Amino acid sequence: MRHTILSLLTIPMLLMSCGKSASDSGSITVDADSVTTAMDTAHALPDTITAAPAQTVDNRLDSLASAETTINYMKNSGHWDAYQAGIIPSILEQNLDYARRLLRNQKDHFIIVDKQSMNVILYDKYGREKKCYLMACSRYFGTKHKRRDNRTPEGFFSAEGIYNSTDWLYTNDDGYTSPARGQFGPRFIRLKTPVTSQVGIHGTAARHSPGKRCSHGCIRIQNEQILELVKFVSPGTPIIVNPSDRDRKVNEDEGYSIPQINIGKGTYSGAGGSTQSDKTNKNINTKQNADSTASKPAEEKAEPAQQTPSEPADSPAVSEPDKATPEKQEPAKNEPATTE
């Protein structure tokens, strides 16, 4: 009888102990190029691991061996109008493998991280653009091969998990941990790649960094944007990291072949988030307006509008790495490096 009473008293104590250890997770320290270590001790957000209703993959996709049979599949899918309005037919013309994998996607969305235009673009499953965010990525060109090479991996990947990174701390390559929280923003989308599990899409404390090649390998967007993006992402969501022309050249020089697709976004010019194609269109429109004004009779010409001084540039020069400001000033030798 005595042993029974002791056993009954022990069970609640064990349950209380387990509950305490599960809730006291503490903050996470993230090394510059070792995100996987920190995330192995973290838990993905519960709402990101809820299994979506199972969808049946069309068996016809298994036999798609050419662009012609793949386009015929889309035409006969019952969603041809949606596919026509999206980017998948264009991807198909450039890379059959990518197109087939996107057609087999059972998620509602996919992402392209485009280094050429410096954009993170969210598409629905048919390839129609839904969101587009200016980003920052790796300071060095070419795909990632090893730890601490400060590169962003390129290729066709997927989201492995979404994490609450609000309290993560940053540690640079020399082992110094910054006391400033929030350098990874509020959320972290971990990329599942065969090369590394240390890279993801996340927010940033360095709001001027998007548009720059300045990270250790991760992809940064603004904090409000990452909070919006994670609403459409779950484990398994396809993520294509698309190399720029310069990245492709480095890859070729090193003996690697990473597919590059033209998604119609142009080349980032560094001016207010515009791409080279946007700049060209702006110049064409300006010239057309000037020609139209010049053709009017003198008495019909409107008075020139007052010119408002342009706002200062949103971000410093590309060559300047940004540094998140720590909560208290540390000695110069201990300044934290640029966040991932």
Side-chain angles (χ1 to χ4, degrees), residues 63-91:
S63 60
L64 299 184
S66 68
E68 182 180 2
T69 54
T70 305
I71 201 76
N72 286 336
Y73 165 81
M74 286 189 281
K75 288 181 177 180
N76 297 318
S77 66
H79 303 286
W80 176 234
D81 289 343
Y83 282 123
Q84 273 190 305
I87 196 174
I88 296 180
S90 175
I91 293 177

Side-chain angles (χ1 to χ4, degrees), residues 59 122 135 145 175 219 299 310 332:
N59 290 331
L122 174 74
M135 68 152 184
H145 301 299
I219 300 118
E299 62 271 20
S310 59

Side-chain angles (χ1 to χ4, degrees), residues 136-148:
C137 65
S138 55
R139 64 186 65 184
Y140 295 124
F141 292 86
T143 191
K144 188 173 185 66
H145 301 299
K146 60 184 180 180
R147 187 169 183 251
R148 292 187 178 180

Side-chain angles (χ1 to χ4, degrees), residues 26-94:
S27 60
I28 295 174
T29 301
V30 184
D31 184 61
D33 210 352
S34 300
V35 175
T36 184
T37 303
M39 289 192 295
D40 284 343
T41 65
H43 297 286
L45 297 176
D47 58 348
T48 67
I49 57 176
T50 302
Q55 300 181 32
T56 302
V57 178
D58 195 326
N59 290 331
R60 290 177 297 169
L61 287 169
D62 294 331
S63 60
L64 299 184
S66 68
E68 182 180 2
T69 54
T70 305
I71 201 76
N72 286 336
Y73 165 81
M74 286 189 281
K75 288 181 177 180
N76 297 318
S77 66
H79 303 286
W80 176 234
D81 289 343
Y83 282 123
Q84 273 190 305
I87 196 174
I88 296 180
S90 175
I91 293 177
L92 173 61
E93 294 177 358
Q94 304 172 69

